């Protein structure tokens, strides 16, 4: 244990002080801060669009004024010339001229450097006004007009099947659950690319510099393997703790702002749909997923013969991570038989199954079953990787990783054969 602790400390503190790990931690935070700042700036600089309305119909003028809101405001002008002068003085963003003879038609002039105008809103108001005009010509009462254009109400609800029973789920709850699962998949993919590459780099660098022989004279390959694995996991834990503190501090800061830029987003999110079981499930899947990919990185890293082959060691990790990540993107919009099966396959399941569970596509039993499959696979895969690691870490092959893996397999088979008993 003491020797494994030495490897753990060496891997942890060396990478903790490195610029690479610092960028791994700060990169997403900087990116989130930039996007958040742009989003906040857009909300702060968003001004009300002003439209000058020129028409001889008082009813149209009052209807357009009544449709004004914080984003768009209509102002009445007596003539087109006066409205254009106001637009030339940059007091208006557009001029809307409406004629009612012989039929209602309108023309809009927009200022290219002005605030955007919601033309759909204007067209809707003009359509309502035109409908009222036609109704007056046909001598239809207000009640008759309402009956004519009344739209039948369509009530919708969402349900999921849980142990043969239908369980109601709101659309917001589905979106919230799917959002949690998607964020988890994105985090797993980000951590996989960062830390799996770091693990492969650790092992590949030592093999390429030919110092493994010296290290393994004082420590067993198993102790070295688990020491490195624990060091990488400790770095992940530190990064997650930093993100937790930053998220908490950021949330408290946003609440103190006079206009919270996230308030519009939170109205479409039902936090009640994110249960404690869902959070526990997501965290466990996150841990199992990142650990599985890190073990894979240790296996592929042990197959390299020099530092130039480290890129080859990370290629299968990146490819599997991309498959899982894009699978999570696709499954959020619907399922298919292939996606359903893929959500139970290790390496892919860790990103896809949380999305399916959050969106209500599968029951909790199916989610925990997939987690059980991943746990069993992780145990067996780790045991197998340790066996190959013992052989690969002192084996050098210039024929590439595939040839190195074949040679390692042959050595493992030879080691399992019973030795002949000498008479």
């Amino acid at each position: 244990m003491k020797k494994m602790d030495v490897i753990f400390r060496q891997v942890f503190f060396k990478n903790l002080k490195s610029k690479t790990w610092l960028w791994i931690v700060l990169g997403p935070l900087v990116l989130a801060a930039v996007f958040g700042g742009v989003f906040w700036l857009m909300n702060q600089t968003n001004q009300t669009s002003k439209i000058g309305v020129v028409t001889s119909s008082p009813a149209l003028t009052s209807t357009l004024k009544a449709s004004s809101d914080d984003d768009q405001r209509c102002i009445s002008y007596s003539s087109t010339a006066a409205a254009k002068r106001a637009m030339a003085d940059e007091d208006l963003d557009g001029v809307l001229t409406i004629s009612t003879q012989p039929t209602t038609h309108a023309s809009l002039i927009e200022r290219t450097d002005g605030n955007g105008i919601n033309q759909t809103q204007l067209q809707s108001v003009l359509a309502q006004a035109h409908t009222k005009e036609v109704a007056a010509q046909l001598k239809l009462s207000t009640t008759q007009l309402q009956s004519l254009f009344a739209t039948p109400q369509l009530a919708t609800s969402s349900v999921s099947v849980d142990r043969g029973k239908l369980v109601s789920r709101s659309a917001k709850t589905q979106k919230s659950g799917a959002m949690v699962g998607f964020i988890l998949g994105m985090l797993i993919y980000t951590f996989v690319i960062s830390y799996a590459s770091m693990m492969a780099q650790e092992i590949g660098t030592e093999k390429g510099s030919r110092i493994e022989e010296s290290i393994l004279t004082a420590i067993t390959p198993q102790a070295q393997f688990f020491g490195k694995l624990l060091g990488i996991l400790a770095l992940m834990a530190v990064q997650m703790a930093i993100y937790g503190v930053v998220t908490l501090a950021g949330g408290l800061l946003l609440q103190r702002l006079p206009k919270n830029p996230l308030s519009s987003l939170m109205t479409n999110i039902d936090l009640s749909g994110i249960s404690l079981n869902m959070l526990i499930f997501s965290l466990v899947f996150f841990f199992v997923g990142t650990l599985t990919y890190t073990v894979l990185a240790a296996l592929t890293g042990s197959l390299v013969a020099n530092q130039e082959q480290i890129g080859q060691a990370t290629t299968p990790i990146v490819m599997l991570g991309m498959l899982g990540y894009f699978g999570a993107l696709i499954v959020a919009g619907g399922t298919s038989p292939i996606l359903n099966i893929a959500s139970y396959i290790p390496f892919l399941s860790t990103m896809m199954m949380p999305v399916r569970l959050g969106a209500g596509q599968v029951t909790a039993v199916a989610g925990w079953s997939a987690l059980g499959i991943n746990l069993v696979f992780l145990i067996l895969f780790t045991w197998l990787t340790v066996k190959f690691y013992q052989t690969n870490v002192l084996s050098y092959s210039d024929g590439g990783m595939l040839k190195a893996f074949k040679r390692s397999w042959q050595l493992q088979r030879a080691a399992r054969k019973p030795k002949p008993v000498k008479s």
Side-chain angles (χ1 to χ4, degrees), residues 9 133 144 152 156 199 206 229 273 283 308 421:
R9 291 175 178 273
E133 181 182 352
Q144 291 173 324
T156 61
M199 185 69 163
E206 291 181 357
L229 188 62
L283 290 175
E308 287 75 17
V421 179

Side-chain angles (χ1 to χ4, degrees), residues 29 33 242-257 260-262:
L29 293 178
I242 292 174
Y243 284 176
V245 172
V246 171
T247 301
L248 180 61
L252 295 175
L253 178 62
L254 288 175
Q255 289 180 355
R256 295 179 177 273
L257 293 177
N260 191 340
L262 296 180

Side-chain angles (χ1 to χ4, degrees), residues 7 71 95 101 104 133 135 141 149 154 166 201 208 239 317 328 348 381 404 407:
I7 297 296
D71 296 325
V95 174
Q101 297 296 331
T104 302
E133 181 182 352
S141 65
F149 289 99
L154 175 63
L166 298 180
Q201 184 79 26
Q239 183 175 357
I317 302 167
L348 307 180
F381 184 57
R407 176 175 172 78

Side-chain angles (χ1 to χ4, degrees), residues 285 324 342-354 367 370-371 374:
F285 240 126
S343 63
Y344 289 91
I345 298 176
F347 294 110
L348 307 180
S349 175
T350 52
M351 302 184 198
M352 296 176 62
M353 184 54 75
L371 183 59
N374 279 268

